[in-house]
Amino acid sequence: METKRLTGKDLINVGIYTALNIVVQFLVGMLNAIPVMYPPILFLIPIVDGIPMMLYYSKIEKFGMLSITGIICAAFYYISGYTWVCVVFLAPAAIIADIILKLKGYKKFSSMLISYMVFSLGILGGPANLWLAGESYWAKIEESMGKQYVDQLAYYMPSWMLYVGIGLTLLGGLIGAFLGRKLLNKHFKKAGIV
């Protein structure tokens, strides 16, 4: 009889793909050293992350795996200095993505696609600090990067960019999911995903 509880194998997959998720987000996110690149990052991360995440999705058959990934990522970014704002975006996005996957079916690409797009919205927790974490957050950036960087960042990341960011992230998630499926077609067939 198949158990609904997460097994050791499930938790190993959670660990591997959570680590990959953090590495991809960190590497692509390094582009934010150039302020003009900050908005495109919201589009690029879900595209690049779509490849390992679709492989992860092909291994998910139980509720909780995505939620744990989101909670670990939220804790990692919080410890890295991204404040409570990251937690508020990342953890709920992952939990909702997990619920979508459970309700719509683990072996359907359509459910993976919607789930991954929602999961991707969690990355907005990083830039959302610029709009929600207050002046002390900007002061920290100025201290480490300088006033010129802060002025340029404020120019390229005004508060309305949150709404544009939602669109960019969802579109990136859509492309990332299709790209991941295309590149991992053999794994999808083996897992019986339709």
Side-chain angles (χ1 to χ4, degrees):
M1 190 168 98
E2 196 175 317
T3 177
K4 291 187 178 181
R5 286 188 185 169
L6 297 179
T7 63
K9 184 181 175 188
D10 295 327
L11 295 174
I12 288 167
N13 280 324
V14 168
I16 291 167
Y17 292 100
T18 300
L20 277 172
N21 184 53
I22 290 170
V23 168
V24 168
Q25 290 183 7
F26 179 79
L27 291 176
V28 179
M30 284 173 52
L31 290 171
N32 74 8
I34 308 162
V36 71
M37 289 304 296
Y38 217 126
I41 286 170
L42 302 175
F43 176 66
L44 293 173
I45 287 175
I47 291 175
V48 178
D49 205 21
I51 299 163
M53 285 301 289
M54 284 299 104
L55 185 55
Y56 183 27
Y57 270 81
S58 75
K59 297 174 184 306
I60 296 174
E61 295 180 349
K62 294 173 194 156
F63 180 78
M65 293 173 74
L66 279 177
S67 298
I68 295 169
T69 293
I71 291 164
I72 292 170
C73 289
F76 173 81
Y77 287 115
Y78 179 79
I79 291 165
S80 300
Y82 278 98
T83 81
W84 57 270
V85 176
C86 244
V87 177
V88 169
F89 275 77
L90 267 165
I95 292 166
I96 293 166
D98 214 353
I99 292 167
I100 290 167
L101 199 56
K102 180 175 174 60
L103 293 177
K104 292 188 64 60
Y106 294 105
K107 295 292 182 185
K108 288 200 235 164
F109 177 70
S110 60
S111 64
M112 292 176 176
L113 171 67
I114 296 164
S115 173
Y116 178 63
M117 288 171 71
V118 171
F119 182 87
S120 295
L121 289 173
I123 67 164
L124 289 169
N129 282 280
L130 301 172
W131 313 304
L132 303 174
E135 289 302 314
S136 62
Y137 189 76
W138 282 95
K140 270 194 222 170
I141 297 172
E142 186 169 341
E143 192 180 301
S144 63
M145 301 296 282
K147 187 169 187 330
Q148 184 181 1
Y149 178 86
V150 165
D151 291 343
Q152 287 183 3
L153 190 59
Y155 177 78
Y156 290 112
M157 294 297 284
S159 57
W160 53 263
M161 188 54 74
L162 172 61
Y163 306 104
V164 174
I166 291 169
L168 288 172
T169 304
L170 289 172
L171 181 59
L174 178 76
I175 294 167
F178 277 103
L179 178 65
R181 181 177 76 164
K182 185 177 174 73
L183 293 175
L184 302 164
N185 195 27
K186 195 193 303 183
H187 291 280
F188 272 60
K189 284 179 180 167
K190 192 176 170 185
I193 294 160
V194 291

PDB file of all heavy atoms in Angstrom, residues 46-61:
ATOM      1  N   PRO A  46      12.772  32.578 -13.435  1.00  0.00           N
ATOM      2  CA  PRO A  46      11.863  31.445 -13.643  1.00  0.00           C
ATOM      3  C   PRO A  46      12.130  30.659 -14.930  1.00  0.00           C
ATOM      4  O   PRO A  46      11.822  29.475 -15.000  1.00  0.00           O
ATOM      5  CB  PRO A  46      10.466  32.081 -13.685  1.00  0.00           C
ATOM      6  CG  PRO A  46      10.623  33.500 -13.354  1.00  0.00           C
ATOM      7  CD  PRO A  46      12.071  33.853 -13.353  1.00  0.00           C
ATOM      8  N   ILE A  47      12.722  31.315 -15.935  1.00  0.00           N
ATOM      9  CA  ILE A  47      13.048  30.580 -17.169  1.00  0.00           C
ATOM     10  C   ILE A  47      14.178  29.590 -16.892  1.00  0.00           C
ATOM     11  O   ILE A  47      14.062  28.403 -17.179  1.00  0.00           O
ATOM     12  CB  ILE A  47      13.444  31.557 -18.304  1.00  0.00           C
ATOM     13  CG1 ILE A  47      12.228  32.366 -18.747  1.00  0.00           C
ATOM     14  CG2 ILE A  47      14.020  30.775 -19.495  1.00  0.00           C
ATOM     15  CD1 ILE A  47      12.529  33.435 -19.782  1.00  0.00           C
ATOM     16  N   VAL A  48      15.274  30.088 -16.318  1.00  0.00           N
ATOM     17  CA  VAL A  48      16.431  29.223 -16.046  1.00  0.00           C
ATOM     18  C   VAL A  48      16.074  28.167 -14.994  1.00  0.00           C
ATOM     19  O   VAL A  48      16.425  26.995 -15.125  1.00  0.00           O
ATOM     20  CB  VAL A  48      17.642  30.069 -15.589  1.00  0.00           C
ATOM     21  CG1 VAL A  48      18.837  29.170 -15.257  1.00  0.00           C
ATOM     22  CG2 VAL A  48      18.027  31.074 -16.665  1.00  0.00           C
ATOM     23  N   ASP A  49      15.341  28.584 -13.965  1.00  0.00           N
ATOM     24  CA  ASP A  49      14.961  27.686 -12.873  1.00  0.00           C
ATOM     25  C   ASP A  49      13.950  26.628 -13.330  1.00  0.00           C
ATOM     26  O   ASP A  49      13.794  25.593 -12.691  1.00  0.00           O
ATOM     27  CB  ASP A  49      14.383  28.508 -11.717  1.00  0.00           C
ATOM     28  CG  ASP A  49      14.512  27.816 -10.377  1.00  0.00           C
ATOM     29  OD1 ASP A  49      15.362  26.914 -10.237  1.00  0.00           O
ATOM     30  OD2 ASP A  49      13.762  28.185  -9.457  1.00  0.00           O
ATOM     31  N   GLY A  50      13.283  26.898 -14.452  1.00  0.00           N
ATOM     32  CA  GLY A  50      12.291  25.951 -14.965  1.00  0.00           C
ATOM     33  C   GLY A  50      12.872  24.591 -15.301  1.00  0.00           C
ATOM     34  O   GLY A  50      12.190  23.569 -15.198  1.00  0.00           O
ATOM     35  N   ILE A  51      14.150  24.552 -15.671  1.00  0.00           N
ATOM     36  CA  ILE A  51      14.765  23.276 -16.066  1.00  0.00           C
ATOM     37  C   ILE A  51      14.911  22.339 -14.855  1.00  0.00           C
ATOM     38  O   ILE A  51      14.322  21.259 -14.843  1.00  0.00           O
ATOM     39  CB  ILE A  51      16.097  23.507 -16.810  1.00  0.00           C
ATOM     40  CG1 ILE A  51      15.831  24.309 -18.083  1.00  0.00           C
ATOM     41  CG2 ILE A  51      16.766  22.179 -17.142  1.00  0.00           C
ATOM     42  CD1 ILE A  51      17.051  24.949 -18.693  1.00  0.00           C
ATOM     43  N   PRO A  52      15.631  22.757 -13.782  1.00  0.00           N
ATOM     44  CA  PRO A  52      15.703  21.844 -12.631  1.00  0.00           C
ATOM     45  C   PRO A  52      14.354  21.660 -11.931  1.00  0.00           C
ATOM     46  O   PRO A  52      14.061  20.578 -11.434  1.00  0.00           O
ATOM     47  CB  PRO A  52      16.726  22.506 -11.697  1.00  0.00           C
ATOM     48  CG  PRO A  52      16.791  23.932 -12.107  1.00  0.00           C
ATOM     49  CD  PRO A  52      16.476  23.952 -13.574  1.00  0.00           C
ATOM     50  N   MET A  53      13.524  22.711 -11.954  1.00  0.00           N
ATOM     51  CA  MET A  53      12.240  22.594 -11.248  1.00  0.00           C
ATOM     52  C   MET A  53      11.290  21.634 -11.955  1.00  0.00           C
ATOM     53  O   MET A  53      10.540  20.911 -11.305  1.00  0.00           O
ATOM     54  CB  MET A  53      11.593  23.971 -11.075  1.00  0.00           C
ATOM     55  CG  MET A  53      12.252  24.809  -9.990  1.00  0.00           C
ATOM     56  SD  MET A  53      12.226  24.036  -8.344  1.00  0.00           S
ATOM     57  CE  MET A  53      10.491  24.171  -7.927  1.00  0.00           C
ATOM     58  N   MET A  54      11.325  21.585 -13.277  1.00  0.00           N
ATOM     59  CA  MET A  54      10.471  20.621 -13.971  1.00  0.00           C
ATOM     60  C   MET A  54      10.949  19.192 -13.721  1.00  0.00           C
ATOM     61  O   MET A  54      10.145  18.265 -13.627  1.00  0.00           O
ATOM     62  CB  MET A  54      10.407  20.926 -15.470  1.00  0.00           C
ATOM     63  CG  MET A  54       9.522  22.101 -15.841  1.00  0.00           C
ATOM     64  SD  MET A  54       7.783  21.874 -15.377  1.00  0.00           S
ATOM     65  CE  MET A  54       7.667  22.922 -13.942  1.00  0.00           C
ATOM     66  N   LEU A  55      12.252  19.021 -13.583  1.00  0.00           N
ATOM     67  CA  LEU A  55      12.767  17.693 -13.218  1.00  0.00           C
ATOM     68  C   LEU A  55      12.271  17.334 -11.812  1.00  0.00           C
ATOM     69  O   LEU A  55      11.845  16.201 -11.563  1.00  0.00           O
ATOM     70  CB  LEU A  55      14.293  17.675 -13.280  1.00  0.00           C
ATOM     71  CG  LEU A  55      14.970  16.323 -13.031  1.00  0.00           C
ATOM     72  CD1 LEU A  55      14.442  15.245 -13.972  1.00  0.00           C
ATOM     73  CD2 LEU A  55      16.484  16.457 -13.171  1.00  0.00           C
ATOM     74  N   TYR A  56      12.306  18.293 -10.916  1.00  0.00           N
ATOM     75  CA  TYR A  56      11.789  18.109  -9.549  1.00  0.00           C
ATOM     76  C   TYR A  56      10.302  17.753  -9.591  1.00  0.00           C
ATOM     77  O   TYR A  56       9.861  16.783  -8.969  1.00  0.00           O
ATOM     78  CB  TYR A  56      12.030  19.392  -8.756  1.00  0.00           C
ATOM     79  CG  TYR A  56      11.625  19.386  -7.300  1.00  0.00           C
ATOM     80  CD1 TYR A  56      11.587  18.230  -6.532  1.00  0.00           C
ATOM     81  CD2 TYR A  56      11.307  20.589  -6.665  1.00  0.00           C
ATOM     82  CE1 TYR A  56      11.236  18.261  -5.189  1.00  0.00           C
ATOM     83  CE2 TYR A  56      10.965  20.629  -5.321  1.00  0.00           C
ATOM     84  CZ  TYR A  56      10.917  19.471  -4.592  1.00  0.00           C
ATOM     85  OH  TYR A  56      10.581  19.501  -3.253  1.00  0.00           O
ATOM     86  N   TYR A  57       9.546  18.517 -10.364  1.00  0.00           N
ATOM     87  CA  TYR A  57       8.102  18.269 -10.475  1.00  0.00           C
ATOM     88  C   TYR A  57       7.821  16.850 -10.973  1.00  0.00           C
ATOM     89  O   TYR A  57       6.845  16.232 -10.570  1.00  0.00           O
ATOM     90  CB  TYR A  57       7.452  19.293 -11.417  1.00  0.00           C
ATOM     91  CG  TYR A  57       6.953  20.546 -10.728  1.00  0.00           C
ATOM     92  CD1 TYR A  57       7.808  21.579 -10.406  1.00  0.00           C
ATOM     93  CD2 TYR A  57       5.605  20.691 -10.405  1.00  0.00           C
ATOM     94  CE1 TYR A  57       7.354  22.729  -9.788  1.00  0.00           C
ATOM     95  CE2 TYR A  57       5.132  21.832  -9.788  1.00  0.00           C
ATOM     96  CZ  TYR A  57       6.009  22.858  -9.476  1.00  0.00           C
ATOM     97  OH  TYR A  57       5.546  23.986  -8.846  1.00  0.00           O
ATOM     98  N   SER A  58       8.677  16.338 -11.861  1.00  0.00           N
ATOM     99  CA  SER A  58       8.455  14.990 -12.386  1.00  0.00           C
ATOM    100  C   SER A  58       8.617  13.922 -11.305  1.00  0.00           C
ATOM    101  O   SER A  58       8.183  12.792 -11.470  1.00  0.00           O
ATOM    102  CB  SER A  58       9.403  14.706 -13.561  1.00  0.00           C
ATOM    103  OG  SER A  58      10.721  14.469 -13.112  1.00  0.00           O
ATOM    104  N   LYS A  59       9.234  14.298 -10.179  1.00  0.00           N
ATOM    105  CA  LYS A  59       9.459  13.353  -9.081  1.00  0.00           C
ATOM    106  C   LYS A  59       8.469  13.544  -7.923  1.00  0.00           C
ATOM    107  O   LYS A  59       8.449  12.755  -6.994  1.00  0.00           O
ATOM    108  CB  LYS A  59      10.896  13.507  -8.564  1.00  0.00           C
ATOM    109  CG  LYS A  59      11.931  13.159  -9.627  1.00  0.00           C
ATOM    110  CD  LYS A  59      13.331  13.435  -9.176  1.00  0.00           C
ATOM    111  CE  LYS A  59      14.354  13.178 -10.250  1.00  0.00           C
ATOM    112  NZ  LYS A  59      14.329  11.873 -10.858  1.00  0.00           N
ATOM    113  N   ILE A  60       7.680  14.618  -7.985  1.00  0.00           N
ATOM    114  CA  ILE A  60       6.743  14.910  -6.892  1.00  0.00           C
ATOM    115  C   ILE A  60       5.456  14.114  -7.074  1.00  0.00           C
ATOM    116  O   ILE A  60       4.816  14.187  -8.118  1.00  0.00           O
ATOM    117  CB  ILE A  60       6.421  16.422  -6.822  1.00  0.00           C
ATOM    118  CG1 ILE A  60       7.681  17.222  -6.491  1.00  0.00           C
ATOM    119  CG2 ILE A  60       5.325  16.694  -5.786  1.00  0.00           C
ATOM    120  CD1 ILE A  60       7.499  18.729  -6.543  1.00  0.00           C
ATOM    121  N   GLU A  61       5.117  13.357  -6.034  1.00  0.00           N
ATOM    122  CA  GLU A  61       3.867  12.592  -6.063  1.00  0.00           C
ATOM    123  C   GLU A  61       3.085  12.748  -4.768  1.00  0.00           C
ATOM    124  O   GLU A  61       2.060  12.102  -4.579  1.00  0.00           O
ATOM    125  CB  GLU A  61       4.166  11.108  -6.312  1.00  0.00           C
ATOM    126  CG  GLU A  61       4.764  10.858  -7.682  1.00  0.00           C
ATOM    127  CD  GLU A  61       5.054   9.389  -7.941  1.00  0.00           C
ATOM    128  OE1 GLU A  61       4.993   8.583  -6.992  1.00  0.00           O
ATOM    129  OE2 GLU A  61       5.341   9.057  -9.098  1.00  0.00           O
TER     130      GLU A  61
END
